[in-house]
Each structure stands twice: as C-alpha cells, then as structure tokens.
C-alpha cells in the first residue's frame, strides 16, 4: 500500500506561481510512475503531468511550458511547479501513483487562480 498526501495549494492571482508537493509513504519501492491530475467544478478529472521512476515526463498540452513535474526519490516526494497560472488552471489537484497492478490517489489540494 502507498499513501499520498498533497500540500501547497492556495489562492493566487493570474500570472502567479504555486508549488504543489506530494508526500508518499508505504510501499514506495513498488511505484512505477506518479502524476498530477486536476478536476475543475463540473468537469471530469484530467491529466496534468506524469513522471516515471526513470524521470521521463509527460504533460497535458494546456500546461506545457508553464508547469514542471519532478521527483525526489530520496525524500519520497513529488512536486509540481506551476508558473504563469491562469484562471482555467483552477481546480482540485490530486496526486496519483501506480504500480504494476494498482493505483492510489491522494485527497487533493485546492488551487484557485483569480483573474
């Protein structure tokens, strides 16, 4: 079992920056990949970015060039640096991790970008 706890959300003005953190605990060795997803009010959850154990990354087109996903394996942490934030980035950001046969979600952290 892997447990995930997010932090770092908040209210920021358009054009501002935030850094989200995801702390992982439990069976860390079994994690193949991690990622960030977000869900805006009235919309489905969508992929923001993913990173593999080998640090290969993938981003949604809407955040490319503005967001950066990273991992610190020594600290069992994953981060999402978000720059040039837009109101449409508003939502609950959820941390995800997956192994060969399982997937785990955190509780999420709210990000609100005001115009």
């Amino acid at each position: 079992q892997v447990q995930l706890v997010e932090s770092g959300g908040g209210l920021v003005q358009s054009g501002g920056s935030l850094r989200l953190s995801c702390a992982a605990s439990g069976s860390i060795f079994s994690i193949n990949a991690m990622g960030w997803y977000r869900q805006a009010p009235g919309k489905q959850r969508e992929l923001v970015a993913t990173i593999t154990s080998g640090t290969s990354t993938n981003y949604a087109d809407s955040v490319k060039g503005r967001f950066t996903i990273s991992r610190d394996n020594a600290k069992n942490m994953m981060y999402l640096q978000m720059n040039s934030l837009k109101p449409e980035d508003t939502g609950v950001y959820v941390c995800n991790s997956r192994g060969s046969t399982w997937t785990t979600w955190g509780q999420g952290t709210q990000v609100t970008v005001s115009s």
Side-chain angles (χ1 to χ4, degrees), residues 84-100:
S84 301
L85 282 161
K86 305 175 181 180
E88 51 263 44
D89 294 318
T90 293
V92 176
Y93 283 68
V94 185
C95 176
N96 168 269
S97 67
R98 60 181 187 273
S100 57

Side-chain angles (χ1 to χ4, degrees), residues 7-102:
S7 61
L11 174 64
V12 64
Q13 288 188 331
S14 182
S17 297
L18 280 175
R19 188 195 195 203
L20 304 183
S21 299
C22 175
S25 61
S27 303
I28 307 299
F29 63 91
S30 64
I31 295 176
N32 291 339
M34 299 184 73
W36 289 98
Y37 290 72
R38 68 186 180 191
Q39 186 164 16
K43 295 187 177 181
Q44 289 188 331
R45 183 175 290 182
E46 63 175 357
L47 171 72
V48 176
T50 60
I51 185 167
T52 67
S53 57
T55 68
S56 175
T57 59
N58 180 57
Y59 296 91
D61 288 342
S62 60
V63 307
K64 282 181 181 177
R66 300 188 297 122
F67 291 11
T68 302
I69 189 171
S70 61
R71 288 172 69 167
D72 184 336
N73 292 327
K75 296 181 179 179
N76 296 331
M77 296 290 295
M78 179 178 66
Y79 306 99
L80 185 69
Q81 179 65 43
M82 305 186 294
N83 299 327
S84 301
L85 282 161
K86 305 175 181 180
E88 51 263 44
D89 294 318
T90 293
V92 176
Y93 283 68
V94 185
C95 176
N96 168 269
S97 67
R98 60 181 187 273
S100 57
T101 60
W102 56 268

